[in-house]
Amino acid sequence: TKILSNLIYHTKESDNMKNRLFDLLNEMWAAIIESYEFDILKNTISFELKTIDNGYENKYKVVFEGVTAWYFVENTGEERLNIKADVEEGDYLELTSIDFYMGGIGEIKPSSIKEDWVNQYYSNANFALEIWDALLLIEANSIIINGNKYPVT
């Protein structure tokens, strides 16, 4: 029964941690992206975010660790080709939404008829970030939010 108690405790603890992660991610919707960094050598993607909720400013430091893949697309369909060339004073990036998918969203695989070597690459992103009309998919082992680490694999 002690083993069963420990198993139940760790399952509840794991559920609480995942619930907390989902709650934190929901709090970040519509955040202003103050800065971001892609560190390919260290396999991390970092964001500094700010939300304003009922007049209160909240800051979030988000680090995706153990990043094994990321995919970015600017807008949908042919709209992705209509990018803005000049950044104007007052322009900013908004983290429109951020979601975690336990088990991932499904296989992402580039496909090429001309270049067969490309076909060996694939991933299964477990985070989806909408940044205005763009999409950033990330496959990561963990996420750190304000110093608290959430293993997700």
Side-chain angles (χ1 to χ4, degrees), residues 2 15 50 62-63 68 71 74-75 88 104 131-132 142 144:
K2 184 175 182 180
D15 287 345
K50 176 176 76 174
V62 179
V63 180
T68 54
Y71 174 78
E74 178 67 44
N75 216 322
E88 298 174 13
I131 301 170
W132 290 126
S142 63
I144 299 171

Side-chain angles (χ1 to χ4, degrees), residues 9-26:
Y9 172 76
H10 288 296
T11 301
K12 285 182 180 179
E13 188 176 277
S14 177
D15 287 345
N16 287 340
M17 189 171 73
K18 287 198 175 44
N19 288 338
R20 180 65 184 138
L21 174 58
F22 285 115
D23 289 344
L24 282 169
L25 294 178
N26 285 336

Side-chain angles (χ1 to χ4, degrees), residues 97-112:
S97 69
I98 179 171
D99 290 296
F100 168 64
Y101 297 90
M102 188 130 17
I105 63 167
E107 187 175 76
I108 302 166
K109 184 174 173 128
S111 177
S112 176

Side-chain angles (χ1 to χ4, degrees), residues 56-70:
Y56 294 101
E57 184 177 286
N58 297 303
K59 298 263 187 170
Y60 300 91
K61 171 74 174 171
V62 179
V63 180
F64 296 91
E65 285 189 322
V67 173
T68 54
W70 53 273

